[in-house]
Structures are given as structure tokens and as C-alpha cells.
């Protein structure tokens, strides 16, 4: 007896829905993409109950005639491609013809649509994949899709949905993505009846980013503009190294204006920050990769959030180099293309060309040079507002780590504490999600246990790292371009920090990290020029590798030797250290090697060689550097400051920490009520 059957349509659609429709945000993604593909100039997204109860997307695009409105819900019904060949160069966001069929199979759907020249609009009603009704209706040109009760007929799926706050977070994030990718389209986002985002059509990304995140956010970004048109053009904005996140949530990555979650790009982005950001800490980024259509395959995953590049390595290079250039342009790292640069000892400042940081000695100076071009006039607040409700864009804003006390003009309505608690909760859940899928079955219960979103005020929580300007108010991180050669050391605080003055005020220099930066640059230069200096040990030191260390030892050993180590693998897992790099105290060699072997674990085996080399140099520098709690003679302080000023990045240590804080004379005068 034959037991194989072809599944009925509604079953296969539900199976497909499992891949396309994971959560309300994935439905919104498909609908917004359809609106963009239809040439919309205005898209309104309305949600209730985290998108579960209601998700409505309206556009003023080309609309559909009645036959198409009905056909649109068939699986593999698409107007966007016709032939296999078309798959090789897809210019629209959609093309699989699956989304509407999938969504309609797991929700109650109403489609109302009108073309420019039809006599009346059409309304199609479908519940759980069953067509209920097709009739005339009234609707201006364009399309409205109303999705109610998502997963009403798939209880197993419904259980996987998270709290309203989390689903709203994902929806907000998604709308933010598309709003950024399409500044020319007006976006409105309404959550539980309140308008959360109101962005009129903008002329470019800069203006749109301003509409979405506010001026403070823009001020803190560096502009990226690089790559190669034949492989990948890379443009957008990245955060300065002092701005750090513990997750990749603040990275908005796009390939040909398609929102993607791509490891390759994420990793290349991080590699661009090598030596100025430590591992496990991430920059914020709005990065647009433009490649020729045939260079990228978007047909990798039903949700189309993954892509495959034909020349992946070249794309990664383009991203890394563009990021590096942007950091160099703002003085955070030295331009590297020129091998001579290492020895010249002069600092590049504010070279990105667009603006002028002159006179802005404060914490945003460097990036203002890159972003705050004079040609950009923000719109008046009445036209532009992003007024958060209980949970909304503020999450995204918080992700970008804006100051907790920062409130853009239009935000009188914000209940900051409550949205922060929602952020915290959403982040907690996300972390669980990331930590593994084990907790999943319990989610249904978790939803009920969550505290109400409008919790009583509590202090804002920051995701593990303190907000960047918390230490401050008075003593602030010094930006590279505000540094002059005129620094005079006065003495030490706690035998750990050099107290000095410059033209703008009083400086505190962390002696350990300052020396770390000096040594890091020195080791990197010597290594690059193959001039590393070693010191022979009188008696070789031996140490035993753990099995995990042994697994990476062979990869690391040649690199270590380039830095002046002389290592010999004795029998089994025992290694003898015969010589160490100059400056590294003999007693530190063993600890340093063990630490390094532990960090370069198998997961990072494929890290770019440059990154590995930086890691070694950073570790060497850390172990060889002057420690804290160490008295320094005046000449030694002078020497350290002079050397520091000649490094590639005098204000940031190789692990991304600040090196110098400044208390401005102005603030001192204010403190004494003299001004
Ligand atoms: P795809 O986008 O992959 O083609 P969908 O299932 O998302 O498949 O949509 C099916 C078809 O319905 C589209 O190809 C398009 O012709 C039509 N369509 C869907 N949404 C809209 C819209 N907002 N405006 C105009 N046409 C639309
Ligand atoms: Mg589509």
C-alpha cells in the first residue's frame, strides 16, 4: 500500500510559514518589503499587542488589480521574477512568492488594494489559508494588509512568542532598519494607538538617522565611505572606539539595501576596530554594502536575512578597510597603507574632510568632524518626531547608548524608567535566546510572570558597561584632535596616574595603559619590519600546555617568534622559552603565553592574521608595561608622555580603554564660581 501523499496546499503553506513567519517582526518584514517593492513613498505600520493582536501595513504603492489580489495569496505567486535567469540578479526585496501565502495560512488576513486606474478597490479576506470573501471596497491608491491574531490556528507556534515588550522591540528594530535603508520613503510607526515614529521623506541617510536617533547620536558617529564598486562599496556610519556595546544589537547592516544579519560583515566590522576595541565588545554601525547584483546570492534562506557573496573575502576586506579608514580619518588609528607611517610619529587629525572640528575640544569633537558637515540642516522638530510610548524606539536609542539623561526636544512624553525596564527585560530574554535554545519550552510561562511594562521608576540599567560619559561630567575622555604637544607632567596620583596640564586644562594619564599603547605600537612596528629584538634567558623556562592550548600552539608559535620569542616544543605538551621579546620582564613571559593561548581558542582560529598579530602585540604590551602603583621619576613621566604622543592612537589603549582624562580649565573656573 502506498503511503506517500502530496500534502494539501494549506498544510504545505503552514510548513513554509514556519520558515518565513517566525514572529510578528518577520511578518512586518515581508509586508514592508512588499510595500517598498510596490514603489511606495509612504508606509505606515500599526501594531497592537506586540503585533500578535494586530499588525497593519499600509502603503501608497502601485496596488493590485482584483485578479492579482486573489492570486497574490497562492504559493509561489509573484510578479517579481519570471525565469530562472532572473534569480541571478534580483533587484526587488521579494521574489519567492511565498510570504503572503505563508502569512495567510497562520493568521486572519485582510488585503485592501487599489491601482491607479481601477474603478474600485478590492478587499480579500482570508482566515487560516481559507479564502472567505472578495469584494469591492474603498481605498486610495495603494495597499493595506491587516493581519490579526497571528498563529491563532497554530498553538505550538503561539507558545514561542515572547512577551509583548520583546515582540515590540523586534518590530521597532525592524521598522528602524527599513526606515534607515530607505530615507526617501516616509515611515510612520504606531504602537497601541500612539505614534512612535514619524519620519517624513528625507534626502539622505544622515537626515534619516537624525529623524530616528536624534542629533546627539549623529554627533558621536564617524562616516564610512570606502570599498570598490566592482566588489563592494561600503558607506554609512560607525561609532567611535570609546562607544562600546556588549552585543551586536546596535549594528544595522544592509546589503544592497536589504537588511541582513551577516557574520562575515559583522566580523569584518569588528576587525576594523582591532587594537582599539577589545574582543567581546562591539561598535555601533549603520553600514550599507552595495555590490553588483550578480555578486551576491540572496536566495539562501526563506526569510532572506542571509546572503552569500561570490567573493566573500574581498567583501570582508572592503568592509574592514573602510572601517579602518574611517577610524584613521578621525585620528583613532593611524593610516596603515603607508608602511613609513609607523616611524614618522606625527598624528593624523580630523582628516575625513567633511567638516571642521576646530574649537570643539569636547568628547564629540572627532566625530563631529566626520559627520557634522555644515550642509546638513536638521528639520524643525515639528516635522520630525520620534515620540516613544511605553516601549519603542527608545530601545533602539538606548542600544546606541545615548546618555540616560539625554532627551530630544520632542520627548516630553517619555516614561524613561519604564522603557528602560522593558529594554532590560527584552535584553535579558535576548541573552537567553542567544545562550541557547534550552529555555524555550518554558517561554509560555515566562510571559505571564513578567512584570508589567509600566513598572515604577527605577534607575536606568546599562547593559554591563557603564554609559560612556558616566565617569565624567568633569573629567572627560580626551579626543585625539584636542591633544597638543604641550603637555607638562606635574606629579602622580596614587602612584598610578600622571597629573599633567595642557593648554585646555588638567590631565590625568593612566600610566599603565599609556605605556601599553606605546609598547603596542612599538611591537607592531618592529614585527612588521621584521626587526624584533629578543633577550636570551640564562636558563630557559619551561611550561606545560593544556590540551586546549596545545591545539592552538602550532598556529601561534610562528607569530610569537616574529615578535622575538624563541620557543621550543619539547616532548609532548611541554614548551621551553629560550628568549623573550625585549622589554618583557622574564617573569611575565609564562603568564603572557598562557593567557594568549587561552584567548586564541579554536573558535578564533580563522581570525585574520592581522587581528592575531594585534592580539599578540596587545598582550605583550600589557605584560611589559609599567604597572599601576609604581612611583615614576619626573624624567620617566616626560619620556612616557613624549612617546605616547607619537603613537597611532594616544587617547585609546590597545584594549579600547581611554588613556587620558581632562578636567577643563573652564570647568574648574565654573566650579570656583569664577565664571
Ligand atoms: P514576493 O514578494 O516574493 O513576490 P509575496 O507573497 O510577498 O511574494 O507577494 C506576492 C505578490 O503580491 C507580489 O509579487 C506582488 O505582486 C503582490 N503584492 C504583495 N504586496 C503588495 C503591495 N503592498 N503592493 C502591491 N503588490 C503587492
Ligand atoms: Mg514579498
Amino acid at each position: 500500500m502506498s503511503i506517500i501523499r502530496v500534502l494539501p496546499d494549506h498544510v504545505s503553506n503552514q510548513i513554509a510559514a514556519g520558515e518565513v513567519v517566525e514572529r510578528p517582526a518577520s511578518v512586518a518584514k515581508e509586508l514592508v518589503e512588499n510595500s517598498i517593492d510596490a514603489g511606495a513613498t509612504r508606509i505606515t505600520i500599526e501594531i497592537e499587542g506586540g503585533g500578535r493582536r494586530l499588525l497593519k501595513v499600509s502603503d501608497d504603492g502601485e496596488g493590485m488589480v482584483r485578479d492579482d489580489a486573489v492570486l497574490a495569496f497562492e504559493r509561489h505567486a509573484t510578479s517579481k521574477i519570471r525565469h530562472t535567469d532572473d534569480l541571478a540578479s534580483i533587484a526587488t526585496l521579494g521574489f519567492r512568492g511565498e510570504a503572503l501565502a505563508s502569512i495567510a495560512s497562520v493568521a486572519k488576513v485582510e488585503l485592501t488594494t487599489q491601482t491607479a486606474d481601477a474603478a474600485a478597490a478590492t478587499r480579500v479576506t482570508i482566515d487560516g489559508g481559507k479564502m472567505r470573501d472578495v469584494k469591492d471596497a474603498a481605498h486610495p491608491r495603494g495597499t493595506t494588509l491587516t493581519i490579526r491574531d497571528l498563529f491563532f490556528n497554530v498553538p505550538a507556534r503561539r507558545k514561542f512568542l515572547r512577551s509583548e515588550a520583546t515582540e515590540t522591540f523586534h518590530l521597532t528594530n525592524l521598522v528602524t532598519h527599513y526606515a534607515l535603508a530607505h530615507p526617501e520613503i516616509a515611515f510612520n510607526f504606531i504602537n497601541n494607538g500612539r505614534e512612535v515614529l514619524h519620519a517624513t521623506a528625507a534626502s539622505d541617510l544622515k537626515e534619516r538617522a537624525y529623524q530616528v536617533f536624534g542629533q546627539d547620536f549623529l554627533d558621536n558617529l564617524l562616516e564610512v565611505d570606502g570599498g570598490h564598486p566592482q566588489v563592494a562599496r561600503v558607506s554609512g556610519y560607525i561609532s567611535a572606539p570609546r562607544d562600546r556595546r556588549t552585543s551586536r544589537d546596535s549594528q544595522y547592516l544592509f546589503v544592497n539595501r536589504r537588511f541582513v544579519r551577516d557574520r562575515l560583515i559583522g566580523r569584518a566590522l569588528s576587525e576594523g576596530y582591532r587594537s582599539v576595541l577589545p574582543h567581546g565588545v562591539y561598535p555601533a554601525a549603520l553600514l550599507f554594502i552595495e555590490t553588483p547584483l550578480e555578486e551576491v546570492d540572496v536566495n539562501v534562506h526563506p526569510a532572506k536575512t542571509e546572503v552569500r557573496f561570490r567573493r566573500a573575502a574581498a567583501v570582508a576586506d572592503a568592509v574592514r578597510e573602510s572601517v579602518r579608514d574611517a577610524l584613521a580619518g578621525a585620528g583613532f588609528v593611524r593610516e596603515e597603507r603607508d608602511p613609513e607611517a609607523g616611524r614618522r610619529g606625527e598624528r593624523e587629525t580630523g582628516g575625513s574632510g567633511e567638516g571642521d572640528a576646530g574649537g570643539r575640544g569636547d568628547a564629540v569633537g572627532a566625530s563631529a568632524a566626520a559627520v557634522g558637515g555644515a550642509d546638513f540642516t536638521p528639520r524643525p522638530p515639528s516635522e520630525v518626531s520620534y515620540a516613544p510610548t511605553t516601549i519603542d524606539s527608545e530601545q533602539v536609542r538606548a542600544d546606541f547608548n545615548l546618555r540616560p539623561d539625554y532627551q530630544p526636544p520632542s520627548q516630553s512624553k517619555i516614561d524613561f524608567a519604564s522603557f528602560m525596564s522593558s529594554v532590560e527585560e527584552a535584553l535579558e530574554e535576548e541573552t537567553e535566546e542567544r545562550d541557547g535554545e534550552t529555555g524555550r519550552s518554558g517561554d509560555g510561562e515566562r510571559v505571564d510572570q513578567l512584570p508589567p511594562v509600566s513598572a515604577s521608576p527605577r534607575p536606568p540599567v546599562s547593559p554591563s558597561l557603564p554609559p560612556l560619559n558616566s565617569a565624567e561630567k568633569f573629567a572627560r575622555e580626551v579626543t585625539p584632535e584636542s591633544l597638543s604637544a604641550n603637555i607638562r607632567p606635574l606629579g602622580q596620583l596614587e602612584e598610578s596616574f600622571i597629573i599633567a596640564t595642557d593648554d585646555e586644562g588638567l590631565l590625568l594619564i593612566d600610566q599603565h595603559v599609556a605605556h601599553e599603547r606605546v609598547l603596542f605600537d612599538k611591537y607592531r612596528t618592529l614585527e612588521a619590519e621584521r626587526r624584533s629584538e629578543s633577550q636570551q634567558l640564562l636558563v630557559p623556562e619551561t611550561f606545560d600546555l593544556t590540551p586546549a592550548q596545545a591545539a592552538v600552539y602550532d598556529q601561534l608559535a610562528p607569530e610569537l617568534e616574529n615578535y622575538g620569542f624563541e620557543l621550543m616544543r619539547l616532548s609532548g605538551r611541554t614548551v621551553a622559552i629560550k628568549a623573550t621579546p625585549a622589554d618583557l620582564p622574564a617573569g611575565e613571559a609564562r603568564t603572557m603565553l598562557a593567557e594568549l593561548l587561552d584567548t586564541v581558542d579554536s573558535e578564533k582560529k580563522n581570525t585574520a592574521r592581522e587581528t592575531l598579530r594585534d592580539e599578540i602585540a596587545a598582550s605583550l604590551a600589557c605584560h611589559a608595561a609599567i604597572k599601576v602603583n609604581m612611583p615614576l621619576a619626573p624624567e620617566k613621566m616626560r619620556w612616557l608622555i613624549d612617546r605616547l604622543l607619537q603613537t597611532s592612537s594616544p587617547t585609546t589603549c590597545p584594549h579600547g580603554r581611554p588613556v587620558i582624562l581632562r578636567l577643563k580649565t573652564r570647568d574648574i573656573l565654573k566650579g570656583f564660581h569664577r565664571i
Side-chain angles (χ1 to χ4, degrees), residues 30-39 57-59 61-64 68-69 71-74 76-81 92-103 111 113 142-145 304:
E30 296 297 336
L31 301 185
V32 169
E33 288 189 350
N34 280 345
S35 296
I36 295 171
D37 283 344
V57 176
S58 314
D59 65 55
E62 64 190 8
M64 286 174 264
D68 284 348
L71 251 185
F73 290 98
E74 294 290 322
H76 302 307
T78 181
S79 56
K80 298 168 194 175
I81 56 172
T92 48
L93 292 167
F95 57 89
R96 297 173 63 109
E98 285 182 316
L100 289 186
S102 301
I103 295 164
L111 161 80
T113 184
T143 303
T144 297
L145 266 142
K304 299 163 288 176

